[in-house]
Amino acid sequence: MDDKILILDFGGQYNQLIARRVREQNVYAEIKPYNRITVQEIKDAGYKGVIFTGGPNSVYDTSSPHYDPDILQLGVPILGICYGDQLLAYMAGGKVSSAENSSEYGKTTVFTADNILFQDIPGESICWMSHTDFISQPPKGFEVIAHTDKCPCAAMCDTDRKLYGVQFHPEVTHTVYGQRILANFLFHICACEADWKMESFVERSIEKYRRELAGKKVLLALSGGVDSSVAAVLLHKAIGRNLTCVFVDHGLLRKGEGDFVEQTFRGTFGMNLIRVNAEKRFLDKLAGVCDPETKRKIIGEEFIRVFEDEAAKLGKIHVLAQGTIYPDVVESGKGDSAVIKSHHNVGGLPDVISFEEIVEPLRELFKDEVRRAGIQLGIPHELVWRQPFPGPGLAVRVIGAITKEKLELLRDADAIFREEIASAGLADKTNQYFAVLTDLRSVGVMGDFRTYGCTVALRAVTTDDFMTAEWTRLPYEVLERASSRITNEVAGISRVVYDITSKPPATVEWE
Ligand code: XMP
């Protein structure tokens, strides 16, 4: 087993980022809420080191998360970050005070001492601070190893017990030597080996599932999205034809998408794929429905019904495979329940179809790692780097009631917009881009004729996490070409507008 690091989560906003930064150094990291793992479990799991994350403001606040001080006796190296640093000081008998009038926020110059944690970094550098409280008296046995103009203890350590704390955030890119500091902790203090590599993950997983799923029939709902595609190819390499993938084509996909999915998985990979052409079923259910949430609900339910019908035809199925990824599994430090995607959540299926077990081959991976695994498995770049596409598909991009004709108009307009973005070399510069068919008609003129056609809105957004998003400043020439081609090539569309609203207040999708 590879060396692994525990990220003990106290509810900080950067907990996943810390884990990703550790994994970027090829060391496996997992996140556990502080209230879901005991000192004994930490010991038994054999972690090479523990990182305390940031969290709520004051360690003296009774509602702030605390941890069993016995962890300090384990002999496992600890790095506390921000709140985690203060908590470490507090647990070890130091003093934390509030600096209400001199809180530090943003890029700050930090002066670091000659210490193993700061090996190979200059004595003066930029770090990212975000705190009001600070350590006013380090615990006994600790020495101060960094300071800023306002913060007398920006880092501390007890070398003998391998306990380290930094008030700043090494995981954010604004801390110029943040990755180096984490590397020093991982390799020089915890003595980790850099052996968490995607090649070995992929090989190991294939080996494991080949062994564990031998002779079993496995079923997977393939959407053509990155996660289910990578899960499917990985399992296919492990168990071949014993994996059946059901691809429900609800008729709400983009132009040519259904064929592309079929071709890739059945053609290129030779997989056992069932494509269910269920357009009529879905459109019948959606007829006349205008409310976005009702559309989503109908699609979600119908998806399950179609999947059930297919599964019933297959006879005995032992295992259900899902493309769940790590951010779906991670729980927050406050003890909230896991975040589960609401759409295409086949987790509800075991109630109606009997499976002996569920496998989730990607449950340890972040999205960028899933993509790396995809490349490793030979999945085409086009699929691995696909922009997100909502489960309910074009149903939430046709405003108002859905008809087959409207879907066709939208598909054509959307394909043109995507082609223009791609040919301008902008596909990697904007995170999601698509067309929306509004329910607005407007007057136009073509030749000597008056027209009264549909209005299409184009949308492109730039974002890190889709929680907030900026509208992408696409070059006018690209918008001009898309507009001109759409109105010329798609009969029925006479006006094109560009959506210049960010999120918030707007959402990415129109419905
Ligand atoms: P919003 O519109 O909420 O979208 O700003 C944020 C991201 O989520 C996608 N999205 C969905 N994905 N089922 C999904 O699987 C849905 O019902 C759904 N609604 C929105 C959207 O495309 C964007 O990437």
Side-chain angles (χ1 to χ4, degrees):
M1 184 58 204
D2 294 344
D3 288 345
K4 60 181 179 181
I5 291 287
L6 172 66
I7 314 292
L8 198 58
D9 179 13
F10 293 100
Q13 54 177 325
Y14 298 127
N15 59 16
Q16 296 205 11
L17 191 57
I18 299 171
R20 281 173 51 194
R21 293 282 180 257
V22 171
R23 290 187 187 190
E24 278 165 20
Q25 313 255 9
N26 301 116
V27 176
Y28 182 65
E30 52 192 26
I31 306 167
K32 298 267 183 217
Y34 73 97
N35 52 1
R36 300 283 169 85
I37 185 163
T38 63
V39 173
Q40 188 59 45
E41 285 165 342
I42 293 177
K43 188 171 177 205
D44 295 345
Y47 292 105
K48 297 280 281 197
V50 179
I51 297 180
F52 288 4
T53 73
N57 245 346
S58 174
V59 289
Y60 295 110
D61 181 348
T62 45
S63 61
S64 281
H66 284 174
Y67 199 69
D68 183 350
D70 283 352
I71 190 172
L72 306 184
Q73 315 308 329
L74 268 190
V76 176
I78 296 176
L79 174 67
I81 295 177
C82 195
Y83 175 84
D85 173 39
Q86 295 164 10
L87 183 67
L88 179 63
Y90 174 83
M91 287 163 73
K95 200 165 161 230
V96 177
S97 303
S98 174
E100 252 158 47
N101 298 321
S102 56
S103 54
E104 286 180 303
Y105 185 79
K107 288 183 187 173
T108 309
T109 302
V110 62
F111 302 93
T112 47
D114 187 11
N115 184 276
I116 192 167
L117 189 65
F118 300 129
Q119 192 172 306
D120 298 329
I121 75 169
E124 182 181 332
S125 64
I126 297 295
C127 71
W128 181 260
M129 282 287 194
S130 170
H131 70 114
T132 301
D133 286 5
F134 70 104
I135 296 167
S136 49
Q137 194 185 317
K140 241 169 102 190
F142 278 72
E143 60 176 310
V144 173
I145 52 171
H147 68 276
T148 69
D149 284 345
K150 284 185 181 172
C151 183
C153 177
M156 60 172 194
C157 77
D158 175 339
T159 317
D160 292 344
R161 288 198 286 168
K162 296 191 177 164
L163 305 176
Y164 292 78
V166 288
Q167 180 57 67
F168 54 87
H169 288 272
E171 71 278 20
V172 305
T173 49
H174 304 297
T175 298
V176 177
Y177 293 98
Q179 272 301 71
R180 184 72 56 80
I181 293 170
L182 287 176
N184 287 338
F185 177 68
L186 298 173
F187 303 118
H188 300 322
I189 297 166
C190 303
C192 290
E193 296 281 337
D195 44 17
W196 164 254
K197 302 229 167 80
M198 209 33 75
E199 300 92 293
S200 44
F201 171 83
V202 166
E203 277 164 28
R204 222 173 31 220
S205 302
I206 293 174
E207 217 22 68
K208 169 181 143 101
Y209 291 117
R210 190 169 287 151
R211 220 176 32 246
E212 291 178 3
L213 299 176
K216 293 186 178 169
K217 295 271 178 215
V218 180
L219 180 64
L220 180 139
L222 184 76
S223 69
V226 183
D227 305 342
S228 64
S229 300
V230 173
V233 175
L234 192 149
L235 289 175
H236 172 70
K237 299 228 174 200
I239 59 168
R241 311 276 311 165
N242 272 347
L243 172 72
T244 303
C245 294
V246 172
F247 166 47
V248 177
D249 183 347
H250 49 24
L252 303 162
L253 297 170
R254 287 168 292 196
K255 192 169 178 147
E257 199 161 32
D259 294 342
F260 172 71
V261 169
E262 185 173 346
Q263 223 168 53
T264 307
F265 293 96
R266 187 178 299 142
T268 316
F269 288 107
M271 278 165 49
N272 189 2
L273 176 87
I274 298 173
R275 175 176 177 178
V276 191
N277 291 315
E279 180 189 44
K280 187 162 179 346
R281 258 177 96 155
F282 280 86
L283 291 192
D284 284 351
K285 286 266 173 196
L286 288 166
V289 176
C290 297
D291 175 60
E293 279 315 298
T294 314
K295 286 182 183 175
R296 277 195 173 75
K297 201 160 163 275
I298 291 173
I299 294 165
E301 280 171 11
E302 196 56 19
F303 179 88
I304 291 178
R305 298 288 91 79
V306 174
F307 192 75
E308 264 169 40
D309 291 352
E310 285 312 308
K313 292 181 202 158
L314 295 173
K316 176 81 186 151
I317 295 289
H318 304 95
V319 180
L320 179 71
Q322 290 184 280
T324 317
I325 70 170
Y326 198 51
D328 302 331
V329 177
V330 176
E331 295 174 88
S332 125
K334 296 185 186 81
D336 296 341
S337 55
V339 182
I340 296 169
K341 282 185 202 162
S342 57
H343 188 74
H344 280 200
N345 172 21
V346 287
L349 286 175
D351 291 344
V352 281
I353 313 169
S354 64
F355 296 107
E356 286 158 15
E357 63 181 297
I358 291 186
V359 297
E360 298 174 316
L362 311 178
R363 63 178 285 122
E364 289 172 9
L365 304 187
F366 286 111
K367 194 81 179 187
D368 49 333
E369 293 173 321
V370 172
R371 293 206 161 99
R372 276 182 15 232
I375 296 290
Q376 193 69 36
L377 286 160
I379 301 177
H381 183 273
E382 187 184 348
L383 216 157
V384 166
W385 286 101
R386 238 174 74 124
Q387 55 167 314
F389 185 63
L394 300 183
V396 291
R397 294 181 182 170
V398 169
I399 309 306
I402 300 161
T403 62
K404 202 169 161 158
E405 295 68 37
K406 286 188 191 171
L407 286 168
E408 284 308 321
L409 284 186
L410 176 57
R411 265 188 202 109
D412 288 343
D414 182 70
I416 291 172
F417 184 42
R418 287 189 291 125
E419 265 170 41
E420 289 304 325
I421 295 255
S423 63
L426 294 171
D428 294 338
K429 307 248 171 350
T430 174
N431 302 94
Q432 199 174 0
Y433 46 98
F434 53 88
V436 174
L437 186 71
T438 74
D439 53 357
L440 187 77
R441 298 184 124 221
S442 73
V443 175
V445 54
M446 263 191 178
D448 293 332
F449 295 99
R450 176 185 182 278
T451 58
Y452 190 52
C454 299
T455 306
V456 153
L458 304 180
R459 178 97 166 122
V461 295
T462 309
T463 174
D464 281 334
D465 57 7
F466 294 92
M467 307 287 279
T468 60
E470 284 267 333
W471 61 276
T472 307
R473 273 57 171 174
L474 288 180
Y476 283 166
E477 305 74 56
V478 175
L479 291 170
E480 155 71 27
R481 265 196 308 277
S483 161
S484 156
R485 279 193 58 199
I486 290 171
T487 46
N488 277 298
E489 295 175 30
V490 190
I493 295 177
S494 56
R495 194 174 293 264
V496 176
V497 297
Y498 188 51
D499 182 349
I500 54 165
T501 337
S502 290
K503 173 184 179 177
T507 50
V508 174
E509 302 289 346
W510 275 39
E511 285 198 335

